[in-house]
Amino acid sequence: MWKALKRWLWDWRGVLITTPTLAGLVLLIRFVGLLQAWEWAAFDQTLRLRPQEPTDERVVIVGINETDVQVLKKAIIPDAVYAELIQKLRARNPRAIGLDIYRDVPVEPGHQALVEVFNSTPNLVGIRKVVGEQGQGAIAPPPALAAKGQVGSNDLISDADTKVRRGLVSVDDSDGNTVYGFGLYLALLYLDAEGIKPEVIGEAKPGETPPWKLGKTLFQPLDPNYGGYVRTEEGGYQVMLNYRGPARHFQIVSLMDVLQDKVPQDWGRDRVILIGYLGESFQDFVYTPYSSGLLSLPERMAGVEVHANLTSQFISAAVNGRPLIQTWTEPAEWLWIVLWSGVGATLAWQLRYGRGKFTFQQILTPFLALLILLASAYIALVWGWWIPVVPPAIALVGSAIAITGYIARSAGDIRKTFGRYLSDEVVATLLENPEGLKLGGERRKMTLLTSDLRGFTSLSERLSPEEVVTILNIYLEEMTEVITRYYGTINNFIGDGIFVLFGAPVERQDDAERAIACAIAMQLALKSVNEKLQQLNFPNLAMGIGIHTGESVIGNIGSTKRSQYSAIGSQVNLTFRIESYTLEGQILISESTLKEVEPIVEIVGQQEVQPKGVIQPITIYEISAIRGTYALELPQQTETWRSLSEPILIQYATLEGKHISENVYQGHLIQLSEQGAVVKVQAEAIAPLPKKLTNLKLNLVNTPGDLSEDIYAKVHSQDAESGCFQIRFTNIPPALRPQLEAVYQNQGFPV
C-alpha cells in the first residue's frame, strides 16, 4: 500500500507541486487587489452576454428630457410643474411614486402647491443624498416629505472604474438614523399591497447587520471581499445590482406627455412610477456594466433608471424569486482556483507523452478547458452566482506553462542521459521512475522484435559509403515511423538491423499483438522504401523479421559515464536466432509469441529448428496476417517454377555466421523461380545435402576457373532420395539478375 502510494505521488509530482504553488501565487496576487479590475471587466462582459430579460411592467419612468425643457422654456423646472405632474399621476392610482429630483429648497412659482401635494400623497417618496460624493456634501430631503418619513436615499456607489455595480438597501446618516434606499422604499410600498413585508431572520453579531427576508428571497449584506471585490468599502447595507438590461430598458414616457394627457388613462395603475432626469443637460448619468461594449462606445445610464433597476430587483426577488447576484464563501472560491490550477497542471502533465511535436489535441485541450471555465462562469451568472473567472483562468494557464517549462528543462537531462530515443513516451516514463536513471535492471516479460536486410552486406560492398548511408537513412526513417506508431521501443540499430522492445519501459497487455502488427506494417512499408530507392537508382531491399516473447533483463547497462537502456539475456539471443532463419519478406515468430496471439493471426507455415545455444529444438511459425484491432495482411505471392532445358553448373559453400566454409561443392541448377532455385548435387562429388535453413554462398561456373559474382541463398528444403535441395535467394548481384531472369524466361518451361 505504502509502495503504491509512493509510486503514485512520484508519478504525479509535477501536478502535486505545481497546483498549490500556482494557486497560492494567484491568491496572493488577488489578495493585494491586482486582479480586481479584470474581475470587474469579466463580470461586466458576462452580464452583457446574458439573455436579455423582459421589461418589468411593474416599474415605469416619467423622464424629463431636453424637449420638455424647451417646451417649458425653463432651465430649472418650477415646483408648480411637479405639483401638476404628481396630481395627474396620483389620479392613475399607482402603488408608489418616486420623485428622483432634489427639492430641498423652493423653486417658485408653485412651491406651496407642491407642499400641499406632498402632504396629500401618502405613497409619494422623495430623495436625499445621505453620504455625498466627489467632494459634494449631503443634500437634504424635501421638508414636507421628511416630516412624514417619506424619504429614501438616492446615493449611488461607484467602483474605482466609475461604474455602478452595487446598490444601497439602507444607509445611516450622520445622526445614526437608518435611511432606506430609494429603490427599496418604493418596492416596499408596492409589496405592501401584496401583503409582503420584510422579516428579520435570526440575530446578528455585534456590529453586523442581520439577514432579512422579503417575500421569497433572503437578503444578506455584501462583505468587503464579495465576489471579485477586494477590501471594498462597507458603507451602508449594500446589495449587488442585478440589472435587467441596458439603458432605456424600462417603459419611459416624457413629462409633457403626462401633462398633456397623451398617455392612456390606465397607464401607471398599480405600478411604481419614478420621476427623473433623462436629458444630458441635467448631468444625472452614471456608467454601469452595460456601458462598455467590445464594438461600441460607452453608453451611460440615467440615475433614475438605476433606481428603477433596484426597485424592480427588490420586487422581482420578493414576488417571483428572481435570483440576486450571490457569491461563494471565500474558502469555496479558493478551492475553485486550486481546482483550475490542478486542471491546467494535469492537462500539461498528461501531454508530456507527445511525439515531439504539437498535435491538434495539445493545442485544442487547453482552449477547451478555458472554454469550460468561461462557460461555467456564464451559466452560474445566469442563475445568479458570481464566481471567479480571472484568477482560475490565470491559475489554469500558469500551471500549464509551468509544467511545460519543467518538461522542456527535463528534456536536456534526458538527452544527456539517454541520447536519442525514438519514443517520447519511453523517455517520459523513465523519468517518472525515481530509480530510472540508476544503473541496474529488472526481469520482465517482453516481446522482442529484430529485423535484418537480406544480403545487405554484399550489397554495401558494391556501393560507396555515402550511398550506403543514404540507403540506410531512407530505410531506417520509414521503419522508425512504423515502430513508433505501434509504441515499440527501438533498443538499438545494428548496422542494417533493428532491435525493438515491446513491453519496456511501458508494459502493456497487447505487447505481442502490437509487435506482430508492427512487423507486418514494416514489411508493407518496405514497398515505399523501395520506390524511393528506385528513384535514386539504388537496388531494392528485402527484409526478414523474427519475434519472440520471454523474460529478459531490462535496465540501464554500462557505467556512470556512459550507459544504455537495453535488454539482455538468452531470450534476446533466441530472437536473433529466429530472425536468422527468415527469408525475404518473411515474419517468423516463436511458439511463446504464438500463444499470446494465436486466435488472431494467420499461419502459413511452421518448421522445427535447432538454434545454436538451445538444447531442445523449437518450432517457429511464419505469419501472414493479423486480425482484430490492427487487421493487417501481407500480400500473397504466387511462385512459378520452371525446369531448365540446360542445367546451370554451380559451386557452393556453406556459411556459418559470417564465415565461409572451406569445403566447396558442385551441383546444377535444374529449376528456377523468381525467388529461388532447385539444386541437384552431382553424384560423383558425393556432396552431403546441406541442412534446412543453412546459408549458402554460390557461384555460377561459366567455364572452368571462371566464376560469377557471389550469390547468397538459404536452404528451404531437401530431398535426399533425389539428391536435390531447394534454395531461396537472399542476394543476387545486380549484374547477374538479368542473366538469371533471361534463363528463367527463355530456357525454362513450367514444372
Side-chain angles (χ1 to χ4, degrees):
M1 179 68 179
W2 172 240
K3 185 177 180 181
L5 178 60
K6 284 180 63 178
R7 176 67 187 183
W8 182 86
L9 291 173
W10 178 258
D11 287 344
W12 290 94
R13 69 193 183 283
V15 176
L16 296 175
I17 295 173
T18 304
T19 297
T21 303
L22 261 295
L25 181 61
V26 170
L27 287 171
L28 178 62
I29 296 173
R30 186 186 192 220
F31 178 76
V32 299
L34 297 180
L35 303 181
Q36 183 173 241
W38 290 2
E39 277 280 67
W40 291 345
F43 171 79
D44 295 348
Q45 182 61 37
T46 309
L47 203 66
R48 291 193 295 270
L49 291 175
R50 289 191 311 178
Q52 197 167 97
E53 298 187 44
T55 300
D56 190 349
E57 300 291 342
R58 296 167 296 197
V59 180
V60 294
I61 297 173
V62 176
I64 303 171
N65 54 40
E66 303 295 347
T67 303
D68 296 330
V69 174
Q70 293 174 5
V71 172
L72 293 170
K73 298 181 180 180
K74 293 183 180 294
I76 300 178
I77 299 174
D79 289 348
V81 175
Y82 290 121
E84 182 183 357
L85 174 64
I86 294 171
Q87 285 178 326
K88 285 183 174 291
L89 294 176
R90 187 174 61 188
R92 297 173 181 275
N93 295 318
R95 293 191 183 180
I97 301 173
L99 183 63
D100 188 25
I101 296 171
Y102 294 117
R103 268 304 180 263
D104 53 323
V105 295
V107 180
E108 299 292 354
H111 176 65
Q112 188 57 41
L114 182 58
V115 171
E116 291 177 2
V117 170
F118 284 168
N119 290 330
S120 61
T121 310
N123 62 343
L124 175 65
V125 180
I127 59 170
R128 60 177 289 194
K129 185 173 284 294
V130 176
V131 179
E133 58 185 8
Q134 296 179 351
Q136 299 179 1
I139 300 177
L145 292 177
K148 299 170 61 179
Q150 293 174 217
V151 177
S153 166
N154 77 327
D155 291 89
L156 294 178
I157 305 171
S158 297
D159 290 327
D161 60 355
T162 73
K163 291 184 179 179
V164 176
R165 299 182 180 88
R166 295 169 285 158
L168 283 172
V169 176
S170 64
V171 63
D172 293 343
D173 62 16
S174 58
D175 297 327
N177 300 314
T178 299
V179 181
Y180 279 165
F182 183 50
L184 175 63
Y185 203 144
L186 293 172
L188 291 177
L189 289 175
Y190 180 93
L191 295 172
D192 187 62
E194 303 285 335
I196 298 174
K197 297 183 182 298
E199 306 173 51
V200 176
I201 306 298
E203 296 183 0
K205 297 179 181 179
E208 293 185 359
T209 306
W212 56 282
K213 187 176 182 183
L214 187 62
K216 296 181 178 181
T217 303
L218 181 68
F219 288 80
Q220 291 183 320
L222 271 63
D223 61 51
N225 296 314
Y226 196 87
Y229 287 99
V230 178
R231 299 183 301 280
T232 188
E233 58 180 297
E234 298 183 74
Y237 193 126
Q238 301 177 18
V239 65
M240 288 297 297
L241 255 165
N242 193 3
Y243 288 92
R244 297 191 74 92
R248 304 297 190 272
H249 191 67
F250 288 90
Q251 187 182 122
I252 300 174
V253 299
S254 70
L255 170 66
M256 295 310 300
D257 284 344
V258 176
L259 293 179
Q260 296 172 0
D261 297 322
K262 291 183 178 180
V263 295
Q265 289 297 319
D266 62 345
W267 184 88
R269 183 181 299 276
D270 291 328
R271 296 177 177 178
V272 175
I273 303 175
L274 288 90
I275 305 168
Y277 296 125
L278 293 181
E280 288 288 342
S281 62
F282 298 107
Q283 297 297 310
D284 187 19
F285 286 86
V286 296
Y287 290 102
T288 72
Y290 284 94
S291 296
S292 300
L294 295 177
L295 301 175
S296 61
L297 294 174
E299 181 183 5
R300 296 181 300 168
M301 181 181 288
V304 68
E305 292 182 273
V306 176
H307 293 299
N309 272 282
L310 265 170
T311 304
S312 172
Q313 179 170 324
F314 290 121
I315 294 174
S316 300
V319 176
N320 308 116
R322 179 174 179 254
L324 302 173
I325 294 180
Q326 306 173 74
T327 63
W328 290 335
T329 62
E330 283 195 73
E333 292 182 346
W334 298 342
L335 289 175
W336 177 247
I337 295 169
V338 171
L339 169 66
W340 285 101
S341 178
V343 169
T346 301
L347 290 176
W349 192 249
Q350 288 286 68
L351 293 176
R352 70 194 185 281
Y353 292 118
R355 296 284 172 190
K357 57 183 178 181
F358 285 107
T359 64
F360 180 73
Q361 179 191 9
Q362 287 174 292
I363 297 173
L364 182 62
T365 301
F367 283 102
L368 286 178
L370 193 58
L371 185 62
I372 292 172
L373 169 59
L374 297 177
S376 301
Y378 172 79
I379 293 171
L381 193 60
V382 169
W383 287 95
W385 287 92
W386 181 15
I387 62 177
V389 176
V390 175
I394 293 175
L396 168 70
V397 175
S399 295
I401 292 174
I403 290 291
T404 303
Y406 167 77
I407 295 172
R409 184 184 61 80
S410 299
D413 298 334
I414 293 166
R415 286 191 293 270
K416 291 177 183 178
T417 307
F418 297 104
R420 178 180 293 176
Y421 276 88
L422 296 174
S423 170
D424 290 331
E425 182 181 18
V426 172
V427 181
T429 304
L430 287 174
L431 284 186
E432 304 317 305
N433 183 357
E435 306 296 322
L437 303 181
K438 295 182 179 180
L439 294 176
E442 61 173 312
R443 182 174 293 275
R444 183 184 298 182
K445 181 181 178 182
M446 295 180 290
T447 296
L448 311 174
L449 178 152
T450 182
S451 68
D452 190 58
L453 294 178
R454 303 272 73 88
F456 189 76
T457 301
S458 61
L459 173 65
S460 61
E461 292 174 354
R462 297 190 299 271
L463 300 173
S464 68
E466 292 79 9
E467 290 174 324
V468 173
V469 170
T470 299
I471 293 174
L472 279 178
N473 284 341
I474 293 173
Y475 163 70
L476 293 176
E477 181 178 4
E478 189 76 28
M479 295 303 112
T480 297
E481 182 64 31
V482 174
I483 294 167
T484 304
R485 191 188 316 147
Y486 289 91
Y487 297 96
T489 301
I490 297 180
N491 185 252
N492 207 354
F493 292 123
I494 309 169
D496 58 296
I498 308 174
F499 181 36
V500 187
L501 311 178
F502 290 87
V506 180
E507 188 175 2
R508 294 181 173 88
Q509 292 183 347
D510 65 340
D511 285 331
E513 182 179 346
R514 283 184 296 104
I516 292 177
C518 179
I520 297 175
M522 289 170 68
Q523 293 287 18
L524 296 174
L526 199 60
K527 179 180 179 182
S528 64
V529 172
N530 286 328
E531 289 174 353
K532 294 177 183 177
L533 294 178
Q534 288 172 7
Q535 294 175 2
L536 299 173
N537 295 320
F538 289 135
N540 288 345
L541 301 179
M543 177 173 59
I545 298 176
I547 300 175
H548 173 57
T549 302
E551 282 193 350
S552 299
V553 175
I554 184 73
N556 294 317
I557 300 169
S559 69
T560 55
K561 292 184 178 180
R562 175 65 180 172
S563 63
Q564 180 179 4
Y565 186 77
S566 184
I568 59 173
S570 60
Q571 306 302 319
V572 175
N573 297 332
L574 181 56
T575 306
F576 281 92
R577 300 294 185 206
I578 293 172
E579 181 276 321
S580 69
Y581 295 124
T582 60
L583 298 170
E584 177 180 321
Q586 271 191 325
I587 300 172
L588 297 179
I589 69 172
S590 66
E591 190 168 3
S592 60
T593 302
L594 179 64
K595 290 179 181 179
E596 301 280 337
V597 296
E598 190 167 7
I600 59 172
V601 297
E602 290 188 11
I603 301 171
V604 293
Q606 66 182 69
Q607 52 190 314
E608 189 176 88
V609 295
Q610 179 77 57
K612 183 179 179 180
V614 178
I615 299 176
Q616 297 294 332
I618 64 170
T619 303
I620 54 178
Y621 303 84
E622 182 178 357
I623 297 298
S624 65
I626 185 170
R627 305 305 177 193
T629 303
Y630 300 103
L632 294 173
E633 184 174 0
L634 294 175
Q636 298 296 320
Q637 296 181 351
T638 57
E639 188 173 16
T640 302
W641 287 91
R642 296 177 183 272
S643 293
L644 302 181
S645 57
E646 295 183 11
I648 299 175
L649 178 63
I650 65 167
Q651 70 177 36
Y652 63 89
T654 61
L655 275 74
E656 296 182 3
K658 301 296 182 180
H659 301 286
I660 302 174
S661 172
E662 296 180 357
N663 298 320
V664 179
Y665 306 97
Q666 287 192 338
H668 287 89
L669 302 183
I670 60 173
Q671 291 183 11
L672 278 176
S673 73
E674 292 179 342
Q675 290 87 30
V678 173
V679 179
K680 183 173 180 60
V681 178
Q682 289 183 347
E684 61 272 17
I686 317 177
L689 293 179
K691 295 181 181 179
K692 190 176 180 180
L693 300 180
T694 299
N695 291 312
L696 301 178
K697 179 185 78 70
L698 56 91
N699 303 90
L700 306 183
V701 180
N702 300 318
T703 60
D706 182 13
L707 302 179
S708 70
E709 293 184 64
D710 295 339
I711 300 173
Y712 292 91
K714 186 184 291 289
V715 178
H716 186 262
S717 62
Q718 58 175 218
D719 185 354
E721 292 184 4
S722 64
C724 297
F725 60 91
Q726 189 183 103
I727 61 173
R728 289 288 188 273
F729 296 125
T730 56
N731 181 259
I732 301 176
L736 287 181
R737 187 173 291 277
Q739 179 182 342
L740 290 177
E741 289 179 353
V743 172
Y744 175 75
Q745 296 293 341
N746 301 324
Q747 297 186 32
F749 52 90
V751 176

